[in-house]
Amino acid sequence: MNLLKISIKYIQQKWLGTSLNVLLLGLGLGLIVITLLVFKQIEQNFYRNTQNIDMVIGAEGSPLQLVLSSIYHIDVPTGNISLSEAEKITQNKLFVKKAIPISLGDNFRGFRIVGTTLAYPENYQAKLQAGVWWQKEMEAVLGAEVAKAENLKIGDTFFGGHGTQNDNNEDLLHKDKPYKVVGIMQKTNTVLDRLVLTSLESVWHIHEHQDHEHHHEEGENHDHNHDHEEDDKEITALLITFGSPMAAINLPRQVDALDNMQSAVPMAEVARMLTILGIGADALKALGYVLLAVAMLGVFIGIYNALQERRYDLALMRFLGASKAQLFGLIILEGFLITFLGTAFGLSVGHFGLELLAQSFTQNLYFELKGLLWVQEELWLIAFVFLLSVIISTILALQVYKIDVIKTLQ
Amino acid sequence: MLKIRNLSHFYQEKQVFSISNWEIHKGENWLILGKSGSGKSTLLHILAGLLSPTQGQIFFQDTEFTQLKGEKLDLFRAQNIGFVFQKSHLVQTLSVLDNLLLVPFLAKEKSNKEKAENLLSKLNVLHKKKDLPKNLSQGEQQRISIARALMLSPKLILADEPTASLDDENAQEVIALFKQVSQELNATLLIATHDQRIKNQFSNIFQM
């Protein structure tokens, strides 16, 4: 016989009331955990994808759109810029440590095809799980999720579709220019997993041809040879890693002086966007805390009611010689057991619930959402809930001392 | 072993009872007879330390019982007095055996499962040891309360109307049991009752 046994027997016998309390506490907790996990991961993903990229140079337009399109591959690109013009800026090796060109325009079943240099995957420490990196035109390396989703292997070929979004239009496929899969990357947990990488030349090659067609259709008289000149090669954006802190001040000024070009700082844009989203996150978190407060109130009422019902048992135990410490311990223990069950239930609901949700719509997200992930804030949350439980139990335990044994037993 | 001196109790400024001098010796069996409202239950509660008297002293062997308070009093009662209520007050969420084992645990004594089973066996309810109290008949519940009162081999056994809700046969049997176990323990037995059926079984009668 011990206090734990008495408590457990009590909870077992009164399982219906106990489970309602556990349910109430668990749901409130679960909702908070989901909110925490989702926003933590959105934040992490946005920052992980900006690694080493201090600035983006691209065509004029919204700077947020430029960052979203060239780093996260979410929005449509702002347009193209001249490679030779952009390189004039990046020639200053004191300011520019790395400049990675990317050229967008096509997709493969919704996955964007990115014309770039090997410096791009290198920036994300991407490694190959099969094959080799591209060497010639029309050779492609697939992100891990692309290969898995489309079930492609080394040596397979596919057609790119025009545009950065998949619109399922057969006419927009570049059927005369198939890509050949030469490599598949390992999972990086970055945006790379959902991209098809190829050389800049491949993208240029396809679109030169496309330009010809368009011009013919439009019946315009155009100097075709001009397109093939190296000087006029176009890219969508240039991803810059600064060589010195001074670059943060000097480069944007230089870029803005040029026609049709702008610079955007990813960290600043992401921070701006998260601030906007943050309002939503805070509101959701607040809702979670309100739910938790309701849940704790439920637990309070639950324990309080149980105690009213237990006045008799507690009086009986005092009659049998129980010390105040024993009675106090018993109430604290019962509150603790309910809180423990509620917390375990809530964490399971939060983590497994999010994992299930994430699995059911991972295809529609621009990054992978995980449920089975631990964030530090949860520790604070759990500590908070247990503290609350001890406080509630203490308030109730103090009432036990006022019980009149004889009156309660008669 | 039990000395009562000038004991009186008031409830809402009305005297419930007054006893000037009463001495009870070790091993004696007493019946406290009185009508409802005569204060016999109140006396029993005071003797058990469940209620403080308005005036007077009670000596339990060498201890001035009326001086004890709070936890000390609760523990003293648990270790020295076995009390049986008219209703069987049992913890409903614990099995019969656990209800008995609760007694040494709360009184900070060693757990003694063997003794609990012996008592249940003596009272013919051993086969019910795993049952919850709500599944027992009233007579069986009464036996469990008696067994519980005897768990720590008390020197004084107090019983408040133990036969009130029992039929004739069970009433005689329960009284016989009380006398038997108190004799075995060499304990003092005090039964408060208005039940005339059991009057003949006691030579010491205290009329209130």
Side-chain angles (χ1 to χ4, degrees), chain A residues 123-241:
Chain A
N123 186 53
Y124 292 96
Q125 289 102 40
K127 291 186 182 69
L128 290 171
Q129 54 167 293
V132 294
W133 293 107
W134 68 87
Q135 280 156 341
K136 287 182 285 204
E137 264 181 39
M138 304 316 290
E139 288 183 345
V141 171
L142 307 181
E145 275 185 55
V146 182
K148 201 174 150 195
E150 299 302 330
N151 200 18
L152 287 177
K153 288 178 280 298
I154 306 293
D156 289 351
T157 57
F158 63 91
F159 299 113
H162 198 62
T164 45
Q165 255 103 50
N166 183 19
D167 37 23
N168 289 320
N169 188 339
E170 283 283 314
D171 296 341
L172 290 178
L173 289 181
H174 301 297
K175 289 220 167 157
D176 50 336
K177 304 268 177 61
Y179 282 102
K180 186 179 171 207
V181 180
V182 295
I184 295 167
M185 285 180 277
Q186 288 175 7
K187 209 164 169 54
T188 57
N189 289 320
T190 66
V191 71
L192 239 58
D193 296 342
R194 303 180 54 83
L195 294 178
V196 175
L197 304 185
T198 184
S199 66
L200 282 167
E201 289 76 14
S202 311
V203 177
W204 288 332
H205 182 72
I206 285 180
H207 290 102
E208 272 158 17
H209 183 73
Q210 186 100 4
D211 287 345
H212 283 272
E213 280 180 353
H214 285 306
H215 293 314
H216 285 305
E217 279 164 19
E218 286 156 19
E220 270 179 35
N221 194 5
H222 198 89
D223 184 359
H224 290 164
N225 292 330
H226 191 71
D227 280 341
H228 296 278
E229 281 177 27
E230 187 66 28
D231 279 3
D232 220 32
K233 292 294 183 206
E234 288 195 323
I235 57 168
T236 309
L238 205 53
L239 312 177
I240 308 285
T241 305

Side-chain angles (χ1 to χ4, degrees), chain A residues 233-265:
Chain A
K233 292 294 183 206
E234 288 195 323
I235 57 168
T236 309
L238 205 53
L239 312 177
I240 308 285
T241 305
F242 290 152
S244 87
M246 284 300 287
I249 301 159
N250 282 298
L251 281 183
R253 210 181 292 157
Q254 289 180 28
V255 175
D256 293 340
L258 294 168
D259 275 348
N260 300 326
M261 263 193 232
Q262 65 162 342
S263 64
V265 178

Side-chain angles (χ1 to χ4, degrees), chain A residues 1-3 5-6 9-10 13 312-313 316-326 406 409-410, chain B residues 45 50 71 74 77-78 83 85 87 89-91 93-94 98 101-103 105-108 132 148:
Chain A
M1 185 58 56
N2 55 55
L3 289 179
K5 186 173 173 183
I6 299 173
K9 291 269 180 191
Y10 183 73
Q13 292 293 324
Y312 174 85
D313 285 348
L316 190 54
M317 285 182 207
R318 270 191 61 188
F319 159 74
L320 291 173
S323 62
K324 287 180 177 180
Q326 280 175 321
I406 279 300
L409 289 183
Q410 272 175 348
Chain B
H45 291 154
L50 293 166
E71 287 192 339
D74 285 344
R77 172 181 57 245
F83 196 100
F85 288 96
K87 279 187 285 180
H89 292 297
L90 299 168
V91 179
T93 52
L94 293 178
D98 285 340
L101 295 178
L102 189 64
V103 174
F105 170 67
L106 293 176
K108 290 94 194 164
L132 289 174
R148 182 178 64 188

